[in-house]
Amino acid sequence: MCGRGTISGMKSVICNWKMNPPTFTEAKRLFDVTKKLAAVYKNAEVVIAPPTIFLRELAKGYRGTRVEFSAQNIFWEESGSFTGETSSIQVRDAGATYVIIGHAERRALGITDENVQHKVPVSLKGKLDPIVAVGERVRDTHGEYVHEVRNQITTALANVPASKFKNITIAYEPVWSIGAPEAPDTNSVHQMMLLVRKTIADAFGEKKMKSIRVIYGGAVNNENAKDILSVPDLDGVLVGRASLDPYRLEAILQAAHDA
Ligand code: PGA
């Protein structure tokens, strides 16, 4: 792996393509653009999470070291009779070195905190670095959301061996900002970065908290990337829609490179 934003001091940009684009030809075109931009903005770590069906073909043809690949999901068992599922070992074999676990769009389809807890050690065993997505569904006024996020984090990390905390990224993504027109303001993002770190320090200790990466996701775009990437204690961004648009992606990579 070439990356590890915190250790290298680089900011990470995780490009979550979700179920886009429709064909491999278009995926290859988007990959080629992203690869070229990654070569220009060398001071950013670039990770692409394409649809699983495109992963092997994209990774196979890539000889560079600037881009890494992530799966968007894995199953919590390593093999067996699980129709329609994909294992950590299979996506690693296809070229992924990361996996997004517990994305809000998976949670909306029924993935629970306990499922996330099972997937994290399975991904580590399969030599994938987990990007664990957490975030409240609604921002209530009496602070219930704080418990929701803290609980998601402590449950997700409960079975992580001490030596593996350095392989974990927590992606804080409030559900209400994913797919929304605007991201929360930078103060609010900073507060949540601190909450994530404090939660890890309280539950697992200061040393493990320091070795973990914490990133933000939800409505990151060309207009807000500079501000969001200048938030203290933030190691990068997880980008959905804007990662599909070369113009918007370039501005985000430039902001990460300059941060
Ligand atoms: P968005 O998605 O950037 O399109 O809001 C973010 C995400 O789901 O990770």
Side-chain angles (χ1 to χ4, degrees), residues 16 18 103-105 173 177-180 217-220 238-242:
N16 180 12
K18 308 190 180 184
H103 189 280
E105 287 154 10
E173 303 200 290
S177 77
I178 297 173
V220 176
L238 201 159
V239 186
R241 287 158 294 167

Side-chain angles (χ1 to χ4, degrees), residues 6 31 91 109 125 190 237:
T6 301
F31 175 70
V91 296
L109 292 172
K125 209 165 153 228
H190 187 211
V237 285

Side-chain angles (χ1 to χ4, degrees), residues 89-104:
I89 298 163
Q90 288 164 342
V91 296
R92 172 75 202 199
D93 184 64
T97 51
Y98 284 97
V99 58
I100 301 170
I101 295 180
H103 189 280

Side-chain angles (χ1 to χ4, degrees), residues 54-240:
F54 301 148
L55 177 61
R56 181 180 297 278
E57 200 62 24
L58 292 176
K60 198 170 74 183
Y62 181 58
R63 296 276 163 272
T65 56
R66 287 288 301 123
V67 173
E68 290 181 84
F69 294 92
S70 174
Q72 296 179 10
N73 182 33
I74 50 155
F75 194 53
W76 57 77
E77 296 286 348
E78 286 172 50
S79 65
S81 304
F82 302 105
T83 302
E85 297 292 346
T86 309
S87 76
S88 57
I89 298 163
Q90 288 164 342
V91 296
R92 172 75 202 199
D93 184 64
T97 51
Y98 284 97
V99 58
I100 301 170
I101 295 180
H103 189 280
E105 287 154 10
R106 302 297 317 173
R107 291 180 190 262
L109 292 172
I111 289 292
T112 64
D113 285 345
E114 285 65 36
N115 297 151
V116 171
Q117 186 183 70
H118 284 123
K119 289 178 185 215
V120 173
V122 166
S123 69
L124 289 164
K125 209 165 153 228
K127 297 196 169 57
L128 296 172
D129 285 354
I131 300 163
V132 181
V134 300
E136 76 277 10
R137 274 163 299 211
V138 288
R139 181 64 69 94
D140 60 291
T141 48
H142 42 281
E144 197 48 46
Y145 72 94
V146 169
H147 295 292
E148 189 181 353
V149 173
R150 282 177 72 94
N151 192 43
Q152 286 173 340
I153 296 168
T154 51
T155 309
L157 302 184
N159 296 334
V160 174
S163 64
K164 296 291 185 190
F165 271 73
K166 63 177 181 346
N167 296 79
I168 307 272
T169 300
I170 298 286
Y172 168 69
E173 303 200 290
V175 178
W176 46 271
S177 77
I178 297 173
E182 278 178 36
D185 66 48
T186 51
N187 275 341
S188 164
V189 172
H190 187 211
Q191 272 170 19
M192 293 310 288
M193 294 296 110
L194 295 177
L195 176 76
V196 171
R197 291 203 178 275
K198 176 149 173 46
T199 302
I200 299 167
D202 290 348
F204 306 102
E206 184 97 359
K207 198 166 161 230
K208 288 178 193 151
M209 177 276 280
K210 282 193 174 141
S211 67
I212 230 164
R213 278 193 299 180
V214 188
I215 65 175
Y216 168 80
V220 176
N221 60 36
N222 47 312
E223 280 164 19
N224 61 23
K226 199 162 184 273
D227 288 344
I228 291 174
L229 281 155
S230 64
V231 167
D233 307 299
L234 173 143
D235 297 309
V237 285
L238 201 159
V239 186

